């Protein structure tokens, strides 16, 4: 007598394909698109220091630009980006589990993705911009993929224990700079010298950014577990509290350091910097999460009546890796000594250039959306992670 075996069919693996735009939640893409403006502002400010040698000039407009960047952008945009990375990684994990995949192959896939992020990041740092974050995210994915299985309480405890470590690193760095009276070195001229400058500076930045990434990454994982950005209407109270407490807290925490950077507070001691720098760092976490929460609240309002601007920003967010790298291409063309070599000695000019570069990427992303074209960096990472689409 023959026996008929039955098995529960497993859903097809679609994690290597992006969701159709109509099925995507608006908030994460909108947050990534707006976040790229903050990243552009932070990087332009950094080039003001690397090229001009100072964060301020005597003009009032430059002081306002510097102070505004310190209070609203520096160490505020980065935590939001890191939280969104953790959110995205947790989303991949959840989809794989829902499709019936076991933990071990899922862990291997996520680590493979992290390894390729390291490869992309090192190439990015060597060829274009030493402030790369892709390799840092790849390292975090390789080392912390196991936290995707931790309980909520364990994630909170781990983030709480890591927070003092990140704050102490920034505090000691600021105090050392104050005591040695040495800021960031100027960017040298020449292709080879710039390459060596990036390669020599990058390892130091990787360590510092790694320490700064873990806390928002863990919070992003926790938020994704409860689908805070995918279902913002179910978390309105949490989002409002995060936005309307986190952003003012970041502003207040950034004012003391902004006063030193703009030359208003001229007699700050190393001890003062040892206190106000970690204050700037820790409140920056609150600000970055507050920005993400505020954008999610805006997305709730926009979701029913999406217009051209919303679609364009969402398209940019869907291709955030591609246009993050495109920004670095713009910086290399504008500021390298072997290209246009723009002398960026004004903070206000840096803000204008950052907004122009970001605005250009919004237009390009919208053109790609209209042509139904994916971001080439996302496509390459997806193919290397999952293999060819069948």
């Amino acid at each position: 007598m023959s026996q008929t075996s039955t098995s529960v069919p497993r859903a097809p693996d679609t994690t290597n394909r992006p969701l159709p735009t109509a099925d995507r939640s608006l908030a994460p893409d909108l947050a990534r698109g707006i976040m790229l403006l903050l990243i552009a502002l932070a990087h332009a400010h950094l080039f003001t220091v690397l090229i001009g040698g100072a964060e301020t000039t005597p003009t009032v407009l430059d002081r306002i630009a510097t102070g505004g960047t310190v209070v609203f952008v520096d160490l505020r945009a980065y935590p939001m980006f890191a939280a969104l990375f953790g959110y995205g990684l947790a989303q991949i994990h959840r989809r794989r589990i829902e499709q019936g995949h076991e933990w071990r192959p899922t862990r291997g896939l996520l680590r493979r993705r992290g390894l390729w992020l390291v490869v992309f990041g090192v190439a990015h740092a060597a060829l274009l911009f030493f402030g790369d974050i892709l390799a840092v995210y790849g390292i975090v994915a390789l080392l912390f993929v196991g936290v995707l299985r931790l309980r909520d309480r364990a994630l909170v405890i781990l983030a709480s224990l890591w927070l003092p470590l990140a704050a102490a690193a920034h505090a000691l760095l600021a105090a050392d700079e104050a005591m040695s009276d040495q800021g960031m070195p100027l960017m040298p001229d020449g292709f080879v010298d710039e390459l060596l400058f990036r390669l020599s500076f990058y390892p130091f930045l990787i360590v510092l950014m790694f320490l700064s990434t873990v806390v928002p990454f863990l919070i992003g994982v926790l938020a994704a577990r409860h689908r805070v950005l995918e279902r913002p209407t179910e978390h309105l109270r949490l989002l409002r509290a995060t936005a309307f407490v986190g952003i003012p807290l970041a502003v207040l925490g950034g004012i003391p350091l902004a006063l030193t950077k703009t030359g208003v507070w001229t007699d700050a001691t190393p001890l003062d910097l040892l206190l106000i720098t970690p204050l700037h760092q820790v409140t920056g976490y609150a600000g970055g999460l507050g920005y993400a929460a505020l954008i999610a609240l805006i997305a709730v309002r926009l979701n029913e009546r999406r217009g051209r601007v919303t679609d364009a920003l969402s398209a940019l967010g869907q291709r955030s890796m591609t246009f993050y790298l495109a920004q670095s291409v713009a910086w290399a063309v504008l500021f390298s000594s072997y290209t246009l070599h723009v002398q960026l000695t004004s903070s206000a000019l840096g803000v204008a250039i950052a907004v122009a570069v970001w605005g250009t990427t919004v237009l390009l992303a919208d053109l790609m959306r209209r042509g139904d074209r994916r971001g080439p960096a996302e496509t390459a990472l997806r193919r290397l992670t999952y293999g060819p689409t069948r």
Side-chain angles (χ1 to χ4, degrees):
M1 183 174 60
S2 63
Q3 294 180 341
T4 303
S5 62
T6 60
S7 61
V8 179
R10 189 171 67 181
D13 185 358
T14 59
T15 52
N16 60 337
R17 292 180 292 175
L19 293 172
T21 301
D23 298 331
R24 293 180 68 102
S25 177
L26 175 62
D29 290 333
L30 189 63
R32 292 185 182 98
I34 296 175
M35 170 274 307
L36 285 173
L37 171 60
L38 302 181
I39 292 292
L41 291 168
H43 289 173
H45 179 68
L46 178 60
F47 277 105
T48 304
V49 180
L50 292 174
I51 297 174
E55 294 187 270
T56 61
T57 57
T59 68
V60 174
L61 192 60
D62 286 325
R63 292 177 185 271
I64 293 174
T66 297
T69 301
V70 173
V71 170
F72 294 103
V73 177
D74 284 351
L75 296 180
R76 276 97 179 109
Y78 184 75
M80 183 171 77
F81 206 0
L84 290 171
F85 170 70
Y87 197 101
L89 204 68
Q91 282 182 308
I92 297 174
H93 170 246
R94 184 180 66 241
R95 292 192 196 114
R96 297 278 297 182
I97 298 302
E98 289 174 349
Q99 291 163 358
H101 295 277
E102 296 182 356
W103 164 244
R104 291 187 65 181
T106 298
R107 180 183 60 189
L109 181 139
L110 293 174
R111 283 180 171 169
R112 186 161 63 248
R113 181 183 178 87
L115 181 61
W116 280 112
L117 279 173
V118 172
V119 174
F120 275 62
V122 171
H124 175 219
L127 300 175
L128 295 171
F129 180 53
F130 67 89
D132 166 75
I133 59 176
L134 298 180
V136 179
Y137 290 170
I139 294 171
V140 170
L142 289 170
L143 298 180
F144 285 88
V145 66
V147 304
L148 295 172
R149 305 183 76 193
L150 294 181
R151 297 177 181 269
D152 290 359
R153 183 178 180 182
L155 289 173
V156 173
I157 293 174
L158 181 57
S160 301
L161 293 175
W162 196 276
L163 185 61
L165 183 63
H170 282 270
L172 294 175
L173 175 63
D176 178 69
E177 288 181 355
M179 288 186 291
S180 62
D181 197 26
Q182 292 181 352
M184 294 188 65
L186 294 178
M187 190 165 66
D189 292 340
F191 178 83
V192 175
D193 288 339
E194 286 192 25
L195 174 64
L196 294 176
F197 173 79
R198 289 193 295 269
L199 292 178
S200 62
F201 211 62
Y202 186 47
F204 165 76
L205 280 182
I206 278 186
V207 174
L208 188 63
M209 289 192 293
F210 172 78
L211 293 174
S212 302
T213 298
V214 174
V215 171
F217 167 80
L218 294 172
I219 295 174
V221 170
L222 183 62
R225 184 171 294 173
H226 298 277
R227 306 194 180 193
V228 174
L229 296 182
E230 295 155 276
R231 300 173 180 173
T233 55
E234 299 177 8
H235 305 278
L236 291 177
R237 181 177 297 181
L238 173 64
L239 292 171
R240 287 171 183 147
T242 304
F244 299 124
V245 173
I247 295 175
L249 191 63
V251 171
L252 292 175
I255 288 176
L257 187 62
L259 293 176
T260 66
K261 297 293 187 180
T262 54
V264 176
W265 186 1
T266 57
D267 58 348
T269 65
L271 179 59
D272 293 328
L273 293 174
L274 192 64
L275 297 175
I276 66 176
T277 302
L279 176 66
H280 182 257
Q281 162 77 8
V282 172
T283 57
Y285 289 142
L289 298 175
Y291 285 158
L294 180 60
I295 294 169
L297 291 171
I298 295 172
V300 172
R301 296 292 186 92
L302 294 177
N303 203 39
E304 298 298 328
R305 51 181 189 275
R306 295 174 60 155
R308 287 186 174 182
V309 174
T310 303
D311 285 339
L313 291 175
S314 178
L316 180 63
Q318 292 177 33
R319 300 159 180 83
S320 58
M321 182 176 170
T322 291
F323 286 105
Y324 166 73
L325 295 173
Q327 284 188 11
S328 295
V329 174
W331 309 142
V333 171
L334 289 170
F335 304 132
S336 292
S337 60
Y338 48 87
T339 53
L340 297 180
H341 203 194
V342 174
Q343 295 299 305
L344 188 59
T345 58
S346 167
S347 297
L349 177 60
V351 169
I353 291 175
V355 172
V357 169
W358 175 77
T360 302
T361 62
V362 173
L363 295 175
L364 292 174
D366 194 46
L367 289 174
M368 294 177 70
R369 175 187 68 84
R370 293 166 184 258
D372 196 24
R373 295 181 179 274
R374 303 173 183 174
E378 287 80 8
T379 300
L381 179 61
R382 187 178 299 115
R383 187 178 183 87
L384 290 168
T385 300
Y386 295 96
T389 303
R390 290 177 295 181

